[in-house]
Amino acid sequence: GTLTWRGNKYSLDNGKMLLRGCILRNTEWCFGMVIFAGLQTKLMQNCGKTKFKRTTIDKLMNTLVLWIFAFLICMGVILATGNTIWETWIGRGFEMFLPWTKFQIGTVFSGFLTFWSYIIILNTVVPISLYVSVEVLRLGHSFFINWDVKMYDCQTNTAAVARTTTLNEELGQVEFIFSDKTGTLTQNIMVFSKCSINGTIYGDVYDEFGHRKEITEKTACVDFSYNLLSDGAFKFYDNTLVEAVKQKDSAVQEFLRLLALCHTVMSEESEGKLVYQAQSPDEAALVTAARNFGFAFWSRTPESITVCEMGQVVTYQLLAILDFNNTRKRMSVIVRDAQGRIKLYCKGADTIIFDLLDPSSKDLMHTTSEQLNEFAGEGLRTLALAYKDLDEEYYDVWMKKFLFVSTVLENREDQLAALHEEIERGMKLLGATAIEDKLQEGVPETISKLNLADIKIWVLTGDKQETAVNIGYSCNMLRDDMTDVFVVSGHTLTEVQQQLRKAKERILSLSRVSDARNDEDNDIFADDSVFEEAIITEYALVINGHSLAHALEPQLEIVFLDLACLCKTVICCRVTPMQKAQVVELVRKHKRAVTLAVGDGANDVSMIKTSHIGVGISGQEGMQAVLASDYSFAQFRYLQRLLLVHGRWSYFRMSNFLSYFFYKNFAFTLVHFWYGFYCGFSAQTVYDQWFITLFNIVYTSLPVLAMGLFDQDVNDQNSLRHPSLYKSGQNNLLFNKRQFFLCTVHGMTTSFLLFFIPYGAFSVMVKEDGSHSSDQQTFAVTIATSLVIVVSVQIGLSMHYWTAVNHLFVWGSLAMYFVILFAMQSDGLFGVLPNIFSFVGAARNCLSEKSVWLVILLTTAVCIVPDLFVRSIRASLFPTQTDRVRQLQQSCKRQRPEEQNLRRACRTSSRRSAYAFSHQEGFGELITSGKNMRTSRVSSTCSYERTAPSSKWIENVIKRTNAVSCISFGSPNKQHQS
């Protein structure tokens, strides 16, 4: 829209405000707030929508609670109906003892009241406290992640951080990982390695026979001591580029001048040194390289850029900055030099720059293109560099158009893009840069283990198509033993559709052939055929950015998704941040699978927010990804421990916790249901009211929490050594609707035995003095004691890993039961509060009888032995892989499982530049506005202070530089300024 202030109209579009011809003076605070609000709006638009993330178990728990509530209603209806029938046929005989005439109620109304009475009594079957216990467990699991010293990075002093407590068990069910490359798989520490200037490659080292040598730590570096402004950390190994600079090669000088001018870097003085603050590591590497070779960027103001060129300070008038964005994939600056000449300098992706070149650069373009492919084969990130001389009249006309378009309200972005392309067309090629970005430590090993865990890894990168395959090999995502690697590079919708269908048909045809071969050999080589099936059906897919745009169209997205899911690895290259989020959303929408996105930069925020789980890498590109993530750490290799150890443990613990929680609730509550058939459906409780209150709070709360916090089926070493253990979580085997049904049946069976075994025994049992022991209080104490012992033994059987805390909580809770039981039924409390503690002496009288202990022992044995028998048979005859690994662990055998030979033939990796494709929008507009620079008012005018080093320090350095410039660059001339 528009903003009107003091009669002037200002346009607002996507949070960016353009102010023309306005002196802010005393009202600049007001405009600053408006601009800040606009920038906030723009940032929120780029980051995408924030979604409330819930786990699969959360959704299942909500469904199960509704089922349980419906089951509670059914039990209430059954017992209420029983009360109505009982009062009609049997209750009439008790009217002499309990006459109804006083209350004037009928049998139907009695059943109605009984229904609500039983709803209250049986409400403990609805696990209200379950949600609180689950949150306590998740909080504990989050602390375990934060405290894991094996996920702590010493170099950056960064620990793993769980930024949420609601997704821990979801970490054990991940099926798809979407990863950025730069800064995520790589270190994002850019080193200027090579360059091509006017068709000549600089950066290689040759021996005396003219053969290229491999650069190692022992290779001698270029000595930059002659340059007092050089960066001591910069290393370069080819002296020929230094000689070309000293010989004042015009192409080389123009190349380095472009690097020193075309950027948004800010400079400052720190401890007597020139320090650069760059938006990205790529820019810092390029500007530092120019600095070491004699073209040092010095300082900037909104209207100028100062550069020290070969010992001379030269100031260029900054006319315009045409900044990076995801569409342009290039950056340009327009400057006026000391002689009044206007030049445009541009750097960007080679595919974009080559389309804008003047025909005279055709031959050089072909030569540079071949050299770029060579750089890509060595795994280097590249940018193409070009320049253009501008005529004064042409520039004036273009600037008038630019100022006019900057203020229009409709389609301003498109018109600005057209103007940018107009002035950038017809450039002359200078050369290309090659920057090295090494892989992080442990990336290939991590990806191999995640592949063995049956996790599909999709890499969403800005690299070129021809380099994407080599990226996969360097990261171990692609292997030589894969059946095929499909490359989709169509430029039209029809071409992409044909390539996708052809690849899918090939996979399906090969799978049918392999299935037929396996069927023939199944009787002889059953195990081998399964192993071969897993090998020969591994495929990979590489798709280009423009092809991906067509593949994400509604008519092709299902075909693309089906093909991608048939592949072990998918690499999407030349993708924008929006496309990353679209790919993740496509999988979430059509696949019932848990997705995880990992990235390190602001361009990964949309992808991180779209996925089920977002992981941020605290790298070189700021904290945007970390702040938007659910989990964060410093290195990609920690992802395997987060998923295979903490994620699998969290899912395992939560599943066992839920299974046991539902079991004990049904075993505890349904005793009232069975008792209703023998008490005339009168809503009489079996247990003492205090026992009902304390059962879930004191007697059984701590043991189940200890199991949910500390239990582990195998230790962390074996979890990493056997990644296939992770598949149980992906297939949701440990807790699902079937497991819930088995738990409820087990709990109902236990409650049935807990009631009917003591009931049958008490009907024929007598005390030692010959009297009957069939009073209600003794019956209640016997059932309650049997219940506490049974559930304590049951949780002991369910635990796989005992700690001192587990022992304390399990046996301590059992001992606490007896202490509280005898205390509440003691003579002392009865004397103080006789109406509350009415079961006086029941425990003492009941548990002093040997026959009662025999009943408790019999009940416990009948409830536990069948379950123990089933567990033993299952582990012996039908062992799972977890059972086998536990056996190995218990027998102290640490043999590594048979793994595929992941070694491959020597292959040069290739990681061609994604910088221009994934780069977020730059700070060009902010720099030219001057809002990022300190201001000092003198009267009514505003003068900008340089953020660069002080003038006194500059003069001292110039004097020292000029002292040695006669040797290094030749005699210094007078300083030139515009």
Side-chain angles (χ1 to χ4, degrees):
T2 60
L3 171 67
T4 303
W5 180 71
R6 291 191 176 182
N8 297 323
K9 288 187 177 181
Y10 304 96
S11 57
L12 289 164
D13 182 26
N14 290 334
K16 293 188 296 184
M17 181 165 65
L18 300 177
L19 304 177
R20 297 296 175 189
C22 174
I23 301 177
L24 299 182
R25 298 183 184 272
N26 296 330
T27 59
E28 62 186 4
W29 179 84
C30 173
F31 271 112
M33 294 302 295
V34 175
I35 293 171
F36 176 73
L39 292 176
Q40 271 194 322
T41 304
K42 182 66 175 179
L43 178 62
M44 295 177 67
Q45 289 175 345
N46 288 336
C47 290
K49 296 181 180 180
T50 300
K51 298 181 179 180
F52 177 70
K53 297 183 179 181
R54 286 173 27 185
T55 65
T56 305
I57 287 184
D58 269 337
K59 299 174 184 177
L60 179 60
M61 280 171 49
N62 294 338
T63 302
L64 297 181
V65 169
L66 293 178
W67 288 5
I68 293 173
F69 187 77
F71 179 68
L72 172 63
I73 299 296
C74 292
M75 288 193 296
V77 170
I78 293 172
L79 294 173
T81 304
N83 175 265
T84 301
I85 297 173
W86 191 90
E87 292 290 353
T88 302
W89 295 96
I90 303 175
R92 296 293 182 182
F94 291 89
E95 287 190 10
M96 294 298 295
F97 177 62
L98 295 173
W100 283 9
T101 56
K102 181 178 179 181
F103 302 100
Q104 297 295 326
I105 60 174
T107 57
V108 176
F109 188 69
S110 174
F112 175 77
L113 295 178
T114 301
F115 169 79
W116 292 110
S117 298
Y118 271 111
I119 291 296
I120 295 173
I121 292 173
L122 300 174
N123 76 88
T124 52
V125 76
V126 181
I128 302 301
S129 62
L130 174 64
Y131 289 92
V132 178
S133 301
V134 165
E135 292 305 318
V136 172
L137 293 182
R138 287 171 172 169
L139 180 63
H141 297 165
S142 299
F143 279 121
F144 292 154
I145 295 174
N146 296 341
W147 295 338
D148 192 346
V149 296
K150 295 183 179 179
M151 297 176 65
Y152 171 76
D153 187 65
C154 300
Q155 295 180 352
T156 60
N157 192 27
T158 304
V161 177
R163 303 177 58 84
T164 180
T165 61
T166 59
L167 301 175
N168 294 325
E169 65 271 14
E170 198 91 327
L171 291 171
Q173 299 179 278
V174 175
E175 293 187 46
F176 290 88
I177 293 179
F178 301 92
S179 174
D180 180 36
K181 183 189 75 68
T182 304
T184 304
L185 301 179
T186 60
Q187 297 178 11
N188 202 18
I189 299 177
M190 307 303 174
V191 178
F192 186 86
S193 178
K194 296 181 181 181
C195 63
S196 168
I197 305 176
N198 199 23
T200 304
I201 295 179
Y202 298 96
D204 290 328
V205 180
Y206 297 88
D207 57 17
E208 60 272 16
F209 302 105
H211 299 148
R212 189 168 63 180
K213 297 193 303 183
E214 182 179 357
I215 297 176
T216 63
E217 295 180 357
K218 298 181 180 180
T219 305
C221 301
V222 174
D223 183 13
F224 291 105
S225 59
Y226 63 88
N227 186 357
L228 298 181
L229 293 177
S230 64
D231 186 349
F234 180 80
K235 293 183 179 180
F236 199 74
Y237 301 92
D238 186 4
N239 285 286
T240 57
L241 181 56
V242 178
E243 296 299 327
V245 173
K246 292 180 180 180
Q247 294 173 7
K248 299 183 179 181
D249 186 308
S250 59
V252 173
Q253 288 188 345
E254 198 72 1
F255 181 92
L256 297 175
R257 186 176 292 113
L258 186 153
L259 296 182
L261 293 173
C262 188
H263 56 79
T264 57
V265 175
M266 303 298 295
S267 63
E268 63 182 6
E269 178 188 354
S270 177
E271 298 180 357
K273 296 181 179 179
L274 185 63
V275 178
Y276 292 147
Q277 300 294 336
Q279 181 183 1
S280 68
D282 294 79
E283 281 205 333
L286 295 175
V287 177
T288 301
R291 166 184 175 177
N292 278 61
F293 288 110
F295 286 74
F297 162 66
W298 200 291
S299 64
R300 68 163 70 246
T301 69
E303 297 87 15
S304 65
I305 300 177
T306 303
V307 180
C308 182
E309 297 183 358
M310 301 173 64
Q312 302 175 11
V313 176
V314 181
T315 300
Y316 293 85
Q317 182 183 357
L318 179 60
L319 302 178
I321 295 181
L322 314 182
D323 211 348
F324 265 113
N325 61 39
N326 296 325
T327 304
R328 284 172 43 79
K329 302 179 179 63
R330 63 190 183 274
M331 174 190 178
S332 299
V333 294
I334 303 176
V335 297
R336 190 194 305 271
D337 62 13
Q339 288 74 33
R341 295 171 299 187
I342 301 177
K343 286 193 175 184
L344 179 145
Y345 293 105
C346 182
K347 66 180 181 182
D350 53 334
T351 53
I352 303 298
I353 298 295
F354 287 170
D355 292 338
L356 301 173
L357 292 179
D358 186 80
S360 61
S361 298
K362 184 176 181 180
D363 294 337
L364 179 58
M365 182 187 70
H366 291 307
T367 303
T368 305
S369 179
E370 294 177 359
Q371 294 169 345
L372 284 172
N373 292 331
E374 181 182 344
F375 294 157
E378 299 173 11
L380 303 178
R381 297 162 56 89
T382 61
L383 285 176
L385 278 61
Y387 77 101
K388 180 181 180 181
D389 294 315
L390 299 178
D391 183 75
E392 186 78 32
E393 294 183 10
Y394 172 78
Y395 169 75
D396 291 339
V397 173
W398 180 87
M399 180 55 69
K400 291 179 181 178
K401 295 180 182 178
F402 179 77
L403 293 176
F404 173 77
V405 170
S406 299
T407 58
V408 299
L409 300 180
E410 295 183 358
N411 300 324
R412 186 197 314 147
E413 296 294 337
D414 295 337
Q415 295 184 52
L416 284 175
L419 276 177
H420 293 167
E421 183 173 345
E422 176 188 332
I423 198 170
E424 289 171 337
R425 188 165 294 280
M427 296 184 296
K428 295 181 180 180
L429 184 64
L430 278 174
T433 61
I435 297 176
E436 183 179 10
D437 185 14
K438 296 181 179 179
L439 286 176
Q440 292 183 14
E441 180 183 353
V443 168
E445 294 78 6
T446 298
I447 292 179
S448 296
K449 287 188 177 181
L450 295 177
N451 281 331
L452 291 175
D454 204 19
I455 298 176
K456 298 181 184 298
I457 302 177
W458 295 21
V459 174
L460 311 178
T461 176
D463 287 329
K464 293 190 65 176
Q465 175 182 313
E466 60 265 25
T467 66
V469 174
N470 286 324
I471 296 172
Y473 279 106
S474 64
C475 295
N476 217 358
M477 292 179 295
L478 303 178
R479 301 195 304 273
D480 289 333
D481 56 7
M482 282 186 167
T483 304
D484 204 348
V485 176
F486 301 105
V487 178
V488 178
S489 58
H491 289 79
T492 64
L493 184 67
T494 305
E495 291 178 358
V496 174
Q497 183 178 14
Q498 292 176 350
Q499 293 177 357
L500 292 176
R501 293 186 183 278
K502 183 177 180 181
K504 184 177 179 181
E505 291 174 359
R506 174 171 170 78
I507 292 177
L508 296 178
S509 62
L510 291 177
S511 298
R512 295 190 193 100
V513 173
S514 64
D515 289 342
R517 187 188 307 116
N518 289 336
D519 290 339
E520 295 175 0
D521 300 337
N522 188 46
D523 296 334
I524 304 176
F525 303 107
D527 295 337
D528 292 341
S529 65
V530 175
F531 182 75
E532 290 175 2
E533 175 70 13
I535 295 297
I536 64 177
T537 56
E538 287 188 357
Y539 301 90
L541 173 66
V542 178
I543 184 168
N544 216 324
H546 50 75
S547 301
L548 181 63
H550 295 301
L552 293 176
E553 293 291 333
Q555 59 268 38
L556 278 186
E557 61 179 12
I558 299 300
V559 179
F560 165 67
L561 182 61
D562 291 342
L563 173 61
C565 290
L566 291 173
C567 299
K568 190 74 172 178
T569 299
V570 177
I571 300 177
C572 301
C573 49
R574 291 298 198 194
V575 295
T576 63
M578 184 58 66
Q579 286 179 321
K580 293 182 180 182
Q582 289 174 348
V583 172
V584 177
E585 183 63 31
L586 178 64
V587 177
R588 284 199 60 168
K589 181 179 177 181
H590 297 285
K591 293 291 179 181
R592 299 180 61 183
V594 178
T595 60
L596 181 147
V598 54
D600 72 313
N603 56 344
D604 303 316
V605 170
S606 297
M607 174 178 69
I608 288 174
K609 288 186 175 182
T610 305
S611 62
H612 291 91
I613 304 171
V615 177
I617 304 292
S618 53
Q620 306 293 323
E621 293 191 14
M623 298 294 290
Q624 293 96 327
V626 171
L627 295 176
S629 66
D630 304 304
Y631 302 89
S632 64
F633 39 73
Q635 297 288 327
F636 180 83
R637 68 177 185 273
Y638 298 141
L639 184 62
Q640 63 172 314
R641 186 167 182 86
L642 181 69
L643 298 184
L644 303 184
V645 178
H646 291 286
R648 202 184 68 83
W649 277 353
S650 295
Y651 173 71
F652 168 77
R653 290 164 177 167
M654 189 63 69
S655 299
N656 283 2
F657 165 81
L658 293 175
S659 298
Y660 176 78
F661 200 97
F662 287 121
Y663 158 76
K664 77 178 181 65
N665 268 25
F666 275 85
F668 164 62
T669 304
L670 264 64
V671 173
H672 297 298
F673 179 79
W674 309 120
Y675 186 57
F677 291 91
Y678 292 90
C679 68
F681 304 97
S682 60
Q684 171 66 40
T685 60
V686 179
Y687 313 115
D688 176 18
Q689 293 299 324
W690 283 104
F691 179 82
I692 296 175
T693 303
L694 298 176
F695 179 78
N696 279 323
I697 299 176
V698 178
Y699 302 149
T700 60
S701 61
L702 293 181
V704 70
L705 285 177
M707 181 180 70
L709 284 173
F710 303 110
D711 196 22
Q712 52 181 255
D713 50 355
V714 297
N715 56 30
D716 56 343
Q717 292 90 350
N718 281 316
S719 295
L720 295 173
R721 192 175 298 163
H722 301 268
S724 55
L725 294 174
Y726 189 82
K727 296 179 182 179
S728 60
Q730 295 173 328
N731 299 324
N732 203 20
L733 299 178
L734 300 186
F735 187 76
N736 46 43
K737 294 177 181 178
R738 177 177 177 274
Q739 291 296 324
F740 169 76
F741 176 75
L742 294 176
C743 294
T744 56
V745 171
H746 188 196
M748 294 172 64
T749 305
T750 301
S751 68
F752 182 87
L753 297 174
L754 284 171
F755 176 79
F756 283 102
I757 291 178
Y759 182 83
F762 272 64
S763 62
V764 297
M765 190 175 65
V766 295
K767 296 182 181 179
E768 293 180 0
D769 58 1
S771 61
H772 287 282
S773 59
S774 57
D775 60 282
Q776 198 268 343
Q777 292 182 346
T778 302
F779 183 68
V781 171
T782 303
I783 293 180
T785 305
S786 301
L787 172 64
V788 173
I789 294 175
V790 167
V791 296
S792 298
V793 174
Q794 190 67 45
I795 198 172
L797 294 176
S798 300
M799 283 187 186
H800 300 80
Y801 182 70
W802 285 84
T803 64
V805 177
N806 294 77
H807 283 288
L808 176 63
F809 285 176
V810 172
W811 311 125
S813 297
L814 186 60
M816 186 62 67
Y817 163 74
F818 287 103
V819 172
I820 295 176
L821 176 66
F822 282 101
M824 288 187 173
Q825 299 183 8
S826 64
D827 298 339
L829 287 180
F830 175 76
V832 177
L833 299 170
N835 294 329
I836 298 178
F837 302 102
S838 57
F839 272 43
V840 58
R844 181 172 61 253
N845 295 333
C846 172
L847 298 180
S848 62
E849 294 290 334
K850 297 179 181 178
S851 56
V852 172
W853 281 107
L854 287 175
V855 172
I856 293 174
L857 180 62
L858 176 63
T859 305
T860 304
V862 174
C863 291
I864 295 300
V865 169
D867 182 63
L868 184 61
F869 177 76
V870 171
R871 289 174 184 266
S872 301
I873 293 297
R874 184 184 300 166
S876 301
L877 301 181
F878 309 101
T880 62
Q881 187 173 6
T882 304
D883 296 329
R884 298 190 187 98
V885 175
R886 289 190 71 243
Q887 291 176 359
L888 292 175
Q889 179 176 305
Q890 292 171 357
S891 61
C892 298
K893 293 181 179 179
R894 298 292 185 265
Q895 298 176 353
R896 291 184 176 272
E898 236 181 282
E899 297 180 357
Q900 302 174 15
N901 184 11
L902 303 180
R903 294 183 181 179
R904 56 184 176 83
C906 182
R907 180 189 296 264
T908 22
S909 66
S910 170
R911 297 187 293 280
R912 195 148 165 184
S913 175
Y915 172 67
F917 278 79
S918 61
H919 196 286
Q920 59 182 323
E921 189 166 357
F923 299 138
E925 185 177 346
L926 186 64
I927 290 173
T928 54
S929 68
K931 300 183 182 68
N932 63 323
M933 302 180 185
R934 297 171 300 193
T935 61
S936 61
R937 294 185 183 88
V938 180
S939 298
S940 61
T941 60
C942 182
S943 61
Y944 292 91
E945 295 181 359
R946 290 179 179 176
T947 59
S950 63
S951 58
K952 185 176 181 180
W953 182 80
I954 293 176
E955 292 175 0
N956 294 333
V957 174
I958 291 175
K959 291 178 180 179
R960 287 183 290 165
T961 304
N962 289 338
V964 297
S965 61
C966 295
I967 303 176
S968 57
F969 298 121
S971 300
N973 298 321
K974 296 182 180 180
Q975 299 180 2
H976 296 280
Q977 295 184 351
S978 59

